[in-house]
Amino acid sequence: MLIREIQPDDAQRFDLLMKQVEAEADFMLMEPGERKASPEEQHKWLVRMEKEWNSTVLVAEHDGQLVGYLAVIGGDTRRTKHSAYLAIGVLKEYTGRGIGTNLFQKMEEWAVTHNILRLELTVVIQNEAGVSLYKKMGFEIEGIKRNSLMINDTPYDQYFMSKIFSK
């Protein structure tokens, strides 16, 4: 399993990966079919991300197929550039194989070298596997976003979690 930074040329495979993850997962932000970005739009987004010193996307690649990703979206103001929001997705077939852990380990190495002091994410409280992974990786619950997602007409709460690196 190769964990690496994404390249703009990965846009088409990344687009397919994101759409497949959203179709398989119960708790992603977007519902299956809701993502309308084309591979060309993904390419433009990846080119923009590549220019940001505090943002990246890491991908897990197995036999030439992208099977997981971890997007790191850095703050865009002077007062938030030290922090980054995270979003992760792994194909269902590849869950439970340590890919999420490997993505987080590589991301933390990247974050330290890019002077990121705060990592943050949200996770549906019922997503036990996600909450467990994030806690294992040192994230702490800061609060609860009540009724933050509507999934099949049911409101769900999310934990707001973070990990702080000392300067």
Side-chain angles (χ1 to χ4, degrees):
M1 187 69 55
L2 173 66
I3 306 292
R4 63 174 177 83
E5 282 194 77
I6 200 165
Q7 301 298 314
D9 290 345
D10 293 315
Q12 187 164 358
R13 293 188 304 152
F14 182 58
D15 184 59
L16 291 172
L17 171 63
M18 291 182 73
K19 288 175 179 170
Q20 186 175 347
V21 167
E22 289 164 353
E24 295 174 347
D26 294 326
F27 299 118
M28 296 300 286
L29 176 63
M30 291 193 184
E31 294 182 357
E34 187 175 3
R35 185 174 299 279
K36 301 298 183 203
S38 67
E40 295 77 21
E41 290 167 320
Q42 288 284 16
H43 184 271
K44 288 178 186 174
W45 182 73
L46 291 173
V47 167
R48 279 195 314 273
M49 289 281 283
E50 198 174 45
K51 293 176 183 172
E52 297 294 327
W53 66 267
N54 64 347
S55 298
T56 192
V57 177
L58 299 174
V59 290
E61 187 173 0
H62 179 70
D63 291 337
Q65 178 188 3
L66 299 184
V67 299
Y69 68 91
L70 178 56
V72 182
I73 302 163
D76 59 0
T77 66
R78 268 189 266 174
R79 293 182 176 187
T80 63
K81 284 193 176 291
H82 69 286
S83 68
Y85 184 82
L86 309 177
I88 187 171
V90 176
L91 293 178
K92 196 170 214 166
E93 175 184 350
Y94 289 88
T95 58
R97 298 186 188 186
I99 294 170
T101 300
N102 290 334
L103 283 165
F104 268 89
Q105 288 170 339
K106 186 77 165 180
M107 178 274 304
E108 287 189 13
E109 292 171 15
W110 179 92
V112 168
T113 63
H114 287 80
N115 296 314
I116 302 297
L117 302 178
R118 175 186 171 82
L119 300 170
E120 58 190 37
L121 55 85
T122 56
V123 58
V124 172
I125 292 173
Q126 290 81 356
N127 182 352
E128 293 173 5
V131 172
S132 176
L133 171 64
Y134 307 144
K135 284 182 175 180
K136 178 176 98 172
M137 300 310 299
F139 283 73
E140 297 177 356
I141 297 169
E142 289 188 328
I144 296 175
K145 293 176 66 176
R146 304 211 180 276
N147 293 343
S148 62
L149 294 180
M150 290 293 287
I151 303 172
N152 298 323
D153 296 323
T154 302
Y156 283 84
D157 295 345
Q158 290 182 300
Y159 287 135
F160 197 79
M161 300 181 76
S162 70
K163 181 170 183 174
I164 306 297
F165 298 101
S166 54
K167 188 157 171 98

